[in-house]
Amino acid sequence: MTSVEKYNGVARALHWSIAVLIICNLLSGILHEPLHMGAVLIPSHKAIGLTVLVLSVARLLWRLTWTHPPYPSHMPGWERGAATLVHVLLYVGMIGMPLSGWIFASASPRDLSWFGLFDWPKLPFAKGDALVGFSHEFHTVFGYSMAVVLVLHIAAALRHHFVLRDTVLRRML
């Protein structure tokens, strides 16, 4: 593949780093209560979320300054539209999920730490603020939605690779 057909190294590194972190956070967010491991998982969940936020803002800025490779010419319009919608939803999740978590964690009396290395600054919100309640609900509902969107994204990439046998997945490898 030529460099025109493939995402560049920065885009690929950000994509895969963020993907691994999001999968870890979705699992820890969904499973911490059933496993009764909130005290162990949630501090890391928060730190990973903040990392996803920083990396995702960097990725969005990179994306706005660099053009992604074109879709294969054989992709129908509806598929291009679906891909664009899924990517928009992923960006909303990559930025909205950690931001909403940061908002409601800021209203907690507990410190917000980045892997115990330093305290992360809290936003000026208090428990009972309307935005804190909304953020918590968004975080919960969109967390499950993000899991569904992520599965769709992975399934589409695998379909392109194994069924259609085109270059869509290989562009990001």
Side-chain angles (χ1 to χ4, degrees):
M1 294 187 100
T2 68
S3 61
V4 175
E5 298 168 331
K6 196 170 187 153
Y7 283 86
N8 66 26
V10 173
R12 291 192 317 265
L14 288 169
H15 175 275
W16 292 107
S17 300
I18 293 168
V20 168
L21 293 171
I22 286 174
I23 290 168
C24 289
N25 253 19
L26 285 172
L27 291 173
S28 67
I30 292 169
L31 297 176
H32 76 274
E33 284 185 24
L35 297 176
H36 305 291
M37 295 183 67
V40 174
L41 293 177
I42 292 303
S44 293
H45 178 84
K46 292 175 183 178
I48 290 170
L50 293 168
T51 305
V52 167
L53 178 60
V54 170
L55 292 176
S56 296
V57 168
R59 182 176 177 183
L60 181 59
L61 292 173
W62 184 259
R63 174 64 187 87
L64 293 173
T65 61
W66 182 80
T67 304
H68 68 80
Y71 291 120
S73 58
H74 66 79
M75 273 180 75
W78 71 266
E79 202 169 325
R80 291 170 192 244
T84 299
L85 175 62
V86 166
H87 284 108
V88 167
L89 291 172
L90 287 170
Y91 274 102
V92 168
M94 291 184 315
I95 294 171
M97 289 292 295
L99 188 57
S100 65
W102 185 13
I103 290 169
F104 74 81
S106 293
S108 168
R110 295 184 188 95
D111 288 335
L112 188 54
S113 170
W114 193 76
F115 297 108
L117 298 175
F118 59 86
D119 285 342
W120 189 270
K122 288 187 170 190
L123 299 171
F125 294 105
K127 194 169 184 148
D129 288 353
L131 188 57
V132 171
F134 173 79
S135 293
H136 189 269
E137 289 302 313
F138 173 85
H139 199 79
T140 301
V141 171
F142 207 83
Y144 289 104
S145 302
M146 185 76 165
V148 170
V149 171
L150 188 62
V151 167
L152 289 172
H153 181 66
I154 293 168
L158 293 174
R159 174 182 168 264
H160 278 279
H161 190 71
F162 292 110
V163 176
L164 301 177
R165 298 188 184 277
D166 62 20
T167 61
V168 169
L169 177 60
R170 284 184 280 152
R171 301 176 329 154
M172 191 52 84
L173 297 177

